[in-house]
Coordinates of all heavy atoms in Angstrom, one line a residue:
V156 N 26.6 54.2 3.9 CA 26.8 54.9 2.6 C 28.1 55.8 2.7 O 28.2 56.6 3.6 CB 25.6 55.7 2.3 CG1 25.8 56.6 1.1 CG2 24.3 54.8 2.1
I157 N 29.0 55.5 1.8 CA 30.3 56.2 1.8 C 30.7 56.8 0.5 O 30.0 56.6 -0.5 CB 31.4 55.2 2.2 CG1 31.4 54.0 1.2 CG2 31.3 54.7 3.6 CD1 32.7 53.3 1.0
Q158 N 31.8 57.6 0.5 CA 32.3 58.1 -0.8 C 33.4 57.1 -1.2 O 34.2 56.7 -0.4 CB 32.9 59.5 -0.6 CG 33.5 60.0 -1.9 CD 34.0 61.5 -1.7 OE1 34.6 61.8 -0.7 NE2 33.6 62.3 -2.7
R159 N 33.3 56.7 -2.5 CA 34.4 55.8 -3.0 C 35.7 56.5 -2.9 O 35.8 57.7 -3.2 CB 34.1 55.5 -4.5 CG 33.5 54.1 -4.7 CD 33.0 53.9 -6.1 NE 34.0 54.1 -7.1 CZ 33.8 53.8 -8.4 NH1 32.6 53.4 -8.8 NH2 34.7 54.0 -9.3
N160 N 36.8 55.8 -2.6 CA 38.1 56.4 -2.5 C 38.5 57.2 -3.7 O 39.1 58.2 -3.7 CB 39.1 55.2 -2.4 CG 39.8 55.3 -1.1 OD1 39.8 56.3 -0.4 ND2 40.5 54.2 -0.7
D161 N 38.1 56.6 -4.9 CA 38.5 57.2 -6.2 C 37.5 58.3 -6.6 O 37.6 58.8 -7.7 CB 38.8 56.2 -7.2 CG 37.6 55.3 -7.5 OD1 36.6 55.3 -6.8 OD2 37.7 54.6 -8.5
D162 N 36.5 58.6 -5.8 CA 35.6 59.7 -6.2 C 36.0 61.0 -5.5 O 35.3 62.0 -5.5 CB 34.1 59.4 -5.8 CG 33.4 58.5 -6.8 OD1 34.0 58.4 -7.9 OD2 32.4 58.0 -6.5
R163 N 37.2 61.0 -4.8 CA 37.7 62.2 -4.3 C 38.2 63.1 -5.4 O 38.7 62.6 -6.5 CB 38.9 62.0 -3.3 CG 38.4 61.4 -2.0 CD 39.5 61.0 -1.1 NE 40.3 59.9 -1.7 CZ 41.6 59.8 -1.9 NH1 42.3 60.9 -1.6 NH2 42.1 58.8 -2.4
E164 N 38.0 64.5 -5.2 CA 38.2 65.4 -6.3 C 39.6 65.2 -7.0 O 39.6 65.2 -8.3 CB 38.0 66.8 -5.8 CG 37.4 67.7 -6.9 CD 36.7 68.9 -6.3 OE1 36.3 68.8 -5.2 OE2 36.6 69.9 -7.1
E165 N 40.6 65.1 -6.2 CA 42.0 65.0 -6.9 C 42.1 63.8 -7.7 O 42.9 63.8 -8.7 CB 43.1 65.2 -5.8 CG 43.2 64.1 -4.8 CD 42.2 64.3 -3.6 OE1 41.2 65.0 -3.7 OE2 42.5 63.6 -2.5
V166 N 41.4 62.7 -7.3 CA 41.6 61.4 -8.1 C 40.7 61.5 -9.4 O 41.0 61.0 -10.4 CB 41.1 60.2 -7.3 CG1 41.4 58.9 -8.0 CG2 41.9 60.2 -6.0
I167 N 39.6 62.2 -9.3 CA 38.6 62.3 -10.4 C 39.3 63.0 -11.6 O 39.1 62.5 -12.7 CB 37.4 63.2 -10.0 CG1 36.5 62.3 -9.0 CG2 36.6 63.6 -11.2 CD1 35.4 63.1 -8.4
V168 N 40.1 64.0 -11.3 CA 40.8 64.7 -12.4 C 41.7 63.7 -13.2 O 41.7 63.6 -14.4 CB 41.7 65.8 -11.9 CG1 42.5 66.5 -13.0 CG2 40.8 66.9 -11.2
T169 N 42.4 62.8 -12.5 CA 43.3 61.8 -13.1 C 42.4 60.8 -13.9 O 42.7 60.4 -15.0 CB 44.1 61.0 -12.1 OG1 44.7 61.9 -11.3 CG2 45.1 60.1 -12.8
R170 N 41.3 60.4 -13.3 CA 40.4 59.4 -14.0 C 39.9 59.9 -15.3 O 39.8 59.2 -16.3 CB 39.2 59.0 -13.0 CG 39.7 58.1 -11.9 CD 38.6 58.0 -10.9 NE 37.5 57.2 -11.3 CZ 36.2 57.2 -10.8 NH1 36.0 58.0 -9.8 NH2 35.3 56.5 -11.3
L171 N 39.5 61.2 -15.3 CA 38.9 61.8 -16.5 C 40.0 61.9 -17.6 O 39.8 61.7 -18.8 CB 38.3 63.2 -16.2 CG 36.9 63.1 -15.5 CD1 36.4 64.5 -15.1 CD2 35.9 62.3 -16.3
K172 N 41.2 62.3 -17.1 CA 42.3 62.4 -18.1 C 42.6 61.0 -18.7 O 42.8 60.8 -19.9 CB 43.5 63.0 -17.4 CG 44.7 63.3 -18.3 CD 45.6 64.3 -17.6 CE 46.9 64.5 -18.4 NZ 47.9 63.4 -18.2
T173 N 42.7 60.0 -17.8 CA 43.0 58.6 -18.2 C 41.9 58.2 -19.2 O 42.2 57.6 -20.3 CB 42.9 57.7 -17.0 OG1 43.8 58.2 -16.0 CG2 43.3 56.3 -17.4
Y174 N 40.7 58.5 -18.9 CA 39.6 58.2 -19.8 C 39.7 58.8 -21.2 O 39.6 58.2 -22.2 CB 38.3 58.6 -19.1 CG 37.1 58.8 -20.1 CD1 36.5 57.7 -20.7 CD2 36.8 60.1 -20.5 CE1 35.5 57.9 -21.6 CE2 35.8 60.3 -21.4 CZ 35.1 59.2 -22.0 OH 34.1 59.4 -22.9
E175 N 40.0 60.1 -21.2 CA 40.1 60.8 -22.5 C 41.3 60.3 -23.3 O 41.1 60.1 -24.5 CB 40.4 62.3 -22.2 CG 39.0 63.0 -22.0 CD 39.2 64.4 -21.2 OE1 40.3 64.9 -21.1 OE2 38.2 64.8 -20.7
E176 N 42.4 59.9 -22.7 CA 43.5 59.4 -23.5 C 43.3 58.0 -23.9 O 43.7 57.7 -25.1 CB 44.8 59.5 -22.6 CG 45.3 60.9 -22.4 CD 46.4 61.1 -21.4 OE1 46.9 60.0 -20.9 OE2 46.8 62.2 -21.2
N177 N 42.8 57.1 -23.1 CA 42.7 55.7 -23.4 C 41.4 55.2 -23.9 O 41.4 54.3 -24.8 CB 43.1 54.9 -22.2 CG 44.5 55.2 -21.7 OD1 45.5 54.7 -22.2 ND2 44.6 56.1 -20.7
T178 N 40.3 55.7 -23.4 CA 39.0 55.0 -23.7 C 38.2 55.7 -24.8 O 37.6 55.1 -25.6 CB 38.2 55.0 -22.4 OG1 39.0 54.4 -21.3 CG2 37.0 54.1 -22.5
L179 N 38.3 57.1 -24.8 CA 37.6 57.8 -25.8 C 37.9 57.3 -27.2 O 37.0 57.2 -28.1 CB 37.9 59.3 -25.6 CG 36.8 60.3 -26.1 CD1 35.4 59.9 -25.5 CD2 37.2 61.7 -25.6
P180 N 39.2 57.0 -27.5 CA 39.5 56.5 -28.9 C 38.8 55.2 -29.3 O 38.8 54.9 -30.4 CB 41.0 56.3 -28.8 CG 41.5 57.2 -27.7 CD 40.4 57.2 -26.7
L181 N 38.2 54.5 -28.3 CA 37.5 53.3 -28.6 C 36.2 53.6 -29.4 O 35.7 52.7 -30.1 CB 37.1 52.5 -27.4 CG 38.3 51.9 -26.6 CD1 37.7 51.1 -25.4 CD2 39.1 51.0 -27.5
R182 N 35.8 54.9 -29.5 CA 34.7 55.2 -30.3 C 35.0 54.9 -31.8 O 34.2 54.2 -32.5 CB 34.3 56.7 -30.2 CG 33.7 57.0 -28.8 CD 33.0 58.3 -28.8 NE 34.1 59.4 -29.1 CZ 33.8 60.7 -29.0 NH1 32.6 61.1 -28.8 NH2 34.8 61.5 -29.3
D183 N 36.2 55.3 -32.2 CA 36.6 55.0 -33.6 C 36.8 53.5 -33.8 O 36.4 53.0 -34.9 CB 37.9 55.7 -33.9 CG 37.7 57.2 -34.0 OD1 36.5 57.6 -34.3 OD2 38.6 58.0 -33.8
Y184 N 37.3 52.8 -32.8 CA 37.5 51.4 -33.0 C 36.2 50.7 -33.3 O 36.1 49.9 -34.2 CB 38.1 50.8 -31.7 CG 38.3 49.3 -31.7 CD1 39.5 48.8 -32.3 CD2 37.4 48.5 -31.1 CE1 39.7 47.4 -32.3 CE2 37.6 47.1 -31.1 CZ 38.7 46.6 -31.7 OH 38.9 45.2 -31.7
Y185 N 35.1 51.0 -32.5 CA 33.8 50.3 -32.7 C 33.1 50.9 -33.9 O 32.3 50.2 -34.5 CB 33.0 50.4 -31.4 CG 33.5 49.3 -30.4 CD1 34.1 49.7 -29.2 CD2 33.4 48.0 -30.7 CE1 34.6 48.8 -28.4 CE2 33.9 47.0 -29.8 CZ 34.5 47.4 -28.7 OH 35.0 46.5 -27.8
K186 N 33.4 52.2 -34.3 CA 32.8 52.7 -35.5 C 33.3 51.9 -36.7 O 32.6 51.5 -37.6 CB 33.1 54.2 -35.7 CG 32.2 55.1 -34.9 CD 32.6 56.6 -35.1 CE 32.0 57.4 -34.1 NZ 32.5 58.8 -34.0
E187 N 34.6 51.6 -36.7 CA 35.2 50.9 -37.8 C 34.6 49.5 -37.9 O 34.5 48.9 -39.0 CB 36.7 50.7 -37.6 CG 37.5 52.0 -38.1 CD 38.9 52.1 -37.4 OE1 39.5 51.0 -37.1 OE2 39.3 53.2 -37.2
L188 N 34.2 48.9 -36.8 CA 33.6 47.6 -36.7 C 32.1 47.6 -37.0 O 31.5 46.6 -37.0 CB 33.9 46.9 -35.4 CG 35.3 46.5 -35.0 CD1 35.4 45.9 -33.7 CD2 35.9 45.5 -36.1
N189 N 31.6 48.8 -37.2 CA 30.2 49.0 -37.4 C 29.3 48.6 -36.3 O 28.2 48.1 -36.4 CB 29.7 48.2 -38.6 CG 29.6 49.1 -39.9 OD1 29.3 50.3 -39.7 ND2 29.9 48.5 -41.0
K190 N 29.8 48.7 -35.1 CA 29.1 48.3 -33.9 C 28.7 49.5 -33.0 O 28.1 49.3 -31.9 CB 29.9 47.3 -33.1 CG 30.1 46.0 -33.8 CD 30.9 45.0 -32.9 CE 31.4 43.8 -33.7 NZ 30.5 42.8 -33.9
Y191 N 29.1 50.7 -33.4 CA 29.0 51.8 -32.5 C 27.6 52.5 -32.5 O 27.1 52.7 -33.5 CB 30.0 52.9 -32.9 CG 30.1 54.1 -32.1 CD1 30.8 54.2 -30.9 CD2 29.4 55.3 -32.5 CE1 30.8 55.3 -30.2 CE2 29.4 56.4 -31.8 CZ 30.1 56.5 -30.6 OH 30.1 57.6 -29.9
V192 N 27.1 52.6 -31.3 CA 25.9 53.5 -31.1 C 26.1 54.4 -30.0 O 26.8 54.1 -29.0 CB 24.6 52.6 -30.9 CG1 24.1 51.9 -32.1 CG2 24.7 51.7 -29.7
E193 N 25.5 55.6 -30.1 CA 25.7 56.7 -29.1 C 24.3 57.0 -28.5 O 23.3 57.1 -29.2 CB 26.3 57.9 -29.8 CG 26.8 58.9 -28.9 CD 27.6 59.9 -29.7 OE1 28.6 59.6 -30.3 OE2 27.2 61.1 -29.7
V194 N 24.4 57.2 -27.2 CA 23.1 57.6 -26.4 C 23.5 58.8 -25.6 O 24.5 58.9 -25.0 CB 22.6 56.4 -25.6 CG1 21.5 56.9 -24.6 CG2 22.1 55.3 -26.5
N195 N 22.5 59.8 -25.5 CA 22.7 61.0 -24.7 C 22.5 60.6 -23.2 O 21.4 60.3 -22.8 CB 21.7 62.1 -25.1 CG 21.7 63.3 -24.2 OD1 22.6 63.3 -23.3 ND2 20.8 64.2 -24.5
G196 N 23.6 60.5 -22.5 CA 23.5 60.1 -21.1 C 23.2 61.2 -20.1 O 23.0 60.9 -18.9
A197 N 23.1 62.4 -20.6 CA 22.8 63.5 -19.7 C 21.3 63.8 -19.6 O 20.8 64.9 -19.7 CB 23.5 64.8 -20.2
Q198 N 20.5 62.7 -19.6 CA 19.1 62.8 -19.4 C 18.7 62.0 -18.2 O 19.5 61.4 -17.5 CB 18.4 62.2 -20.6 CG 18.9 62.6 -22.0 CD 18.2 61.9 -23.1 OE1 17.2 62.4 -23.6 NE2 18.7 60.8 -23.5
E199 N 17.4 62.1 -17.9 CA 16.9 61.4 -16.7 C 17.1 59.9 -17.0 O 17.0 59.4 -18.1 CB 15.4 61.9 -16.7 CG 14.5 61.6 -15.7 CD 13.6 60.5 -16.1 OE1 12.9 60.6 -17.1 OE2 13.6 59.5 -15.3
T200 N 17.3 59.1 -15.9 CA 17.7 57.7 -16.0 C 16.8 56.9 -16.9 O 17.2 56.1 -17.8 CB 17.7 57.1 -14.6 OG1 18.6 57.8 -13.8 CG2 18.2 55.6 -14.6
E201 N 15.5 57.0 -16.7 CA 14.5 56.2 -17.5 C 14.6 56.6 -19.0 O 14.4 55.7 -19.9 CB 13.1 56.4 -17.0 CG 12.8 55.7 -15.7 CD 12.9 54.2 -15.7 OE1 12.7 53.6 -16.8 OE2 13.2 53.5 -14.7
K202 N 14.8 57.8 -19.3 CA 14.9 58.3 -20.7 C 16.1 57.7 -21.3 O 16.1 57.2 -22.5 CB 14.9 59.8 -20.8 CG 15.1 60.4 -22.1 CD 13.9 60.2 -23.1 CE 14.1 60.9 -24.4 NZ 14.3 60.0 -25.6
V203 N 17.2 57.7 -20.6 CA 18.5 57.1 -21.1 C 18.2 55.7 -21.4 O 18.6 55.1 -22.4 CB 19.7 57.3 -20.1 CG1 20.9 56.6 -20.6 CG2 19.9 58.8 -19.8
F204 N 17.6 55.0 -20.4 CA 17.3 53.5 -20.6 C 16.5 53.3 -21.9 O 16.8 52.4 -22.6 CB 16.6 53.0 -19.4 CG 16.5 51.5 -19.4 CD1 17.6 50.6 -19.5 CD2 15.2 50.9 -19.5 CE1 17.4 49.3 -19.6 CE2 15.0 49.5 -19.5 CZ 16.1 48.7 -19.6
S205 N 15.4 54.1 -22.1 CA 14.6 53.8 -23.3 C 15.4 54.1 -24.5 O 15.2 53.4 -25.5 CB 13.3 54.5 -23.2 OG 13.4 55.8 -23.6
D206 N 16.3 55.1 -24.5 CA 17.1 55.4 -25.7 C 18.1 54.2 -25.9 O 18.4 53.9 -27.0 CB 17.9 56.7 -25.5 CG 17.0 57.9 -25.7 OD1 15.8 57.7 -25.9 OD2 17.5 59.0 -25.5
V207 N 18.6 53.6 -24.8 CA 19.6 52.5 -24.9 C 18.8 51.3 -25.6 O 19.3 50.7 -26.5 CB 20.1 52.1 -23.6 CG1 20.9 50.7 -23.6 CG2 21.1 53.1 -23.0
R208 N 17.6 51.1 -25.1 CA 16.8 50.0 -25.7 C 16.6 50.2 -27.2 O 16.7 49.3 -28.0 CB 15.5 49.8 -25.0 CG 15.7 49.2 -23.6 CD 14.3 48.8 -23.0 NE 13.7 47.7 -23.7 CZ 12.8 46.9 -23.2 NH1 12.3 47.2 -22.0 NH2 12.3 45.9 -23.9
S209 N 16.2 51.5 -27.5 CA 15.9 51.7 -28.9 C 17.2 51.6 -29.8 O 17.1 51.0 -30.9 CB 15.4 53.2 -29.2 OG 14.5 53.5 -28.3
A210 N 18.3 52.1 -29.2 CA 19.6 51.9 -30.0 C 19.9 50.5 -30.2 O 20.5 50.1 -31.2 CB 20.7 52.7 -29.2

Side-chain angles (χ1 to χ4, degrees):
V156 174
I157 55 151
Q158 181 173 42
R159 259 169 59 172
N160 243 343
D161 58 349
D162 279 346
R163 285 174 295 126
E164 212 155 338
E165 62 277 20
V166 184
I167 288 171
V168 175
T169 310
R170 286 169 69 201
L171 288 175
K172 187 163 173 277
T173 306
Y174 155 76
E175 277 156 17
E176 286 172 5
N177 298 280
T178 311
L179 209 48
L181 290 184
R182 288 193 300 185
D183 288 335
Y184 178 82
Y185 284 111
K186 276 179 195 167
E187 278 159 29
L188 294 177
N189 261 327
K190 293 180 192 280
Y191 180 82
V192 287
E193 192 170 299
V194 168
N195 175 4
Q198 313 176 86
E199 188 260 302
T200 304
E201 287 294 335
K202 173 72 173 112
V203 177
F204 184 63
S205 84
D206 286 0
V207 168
R208 284 190 74 161
S209 317

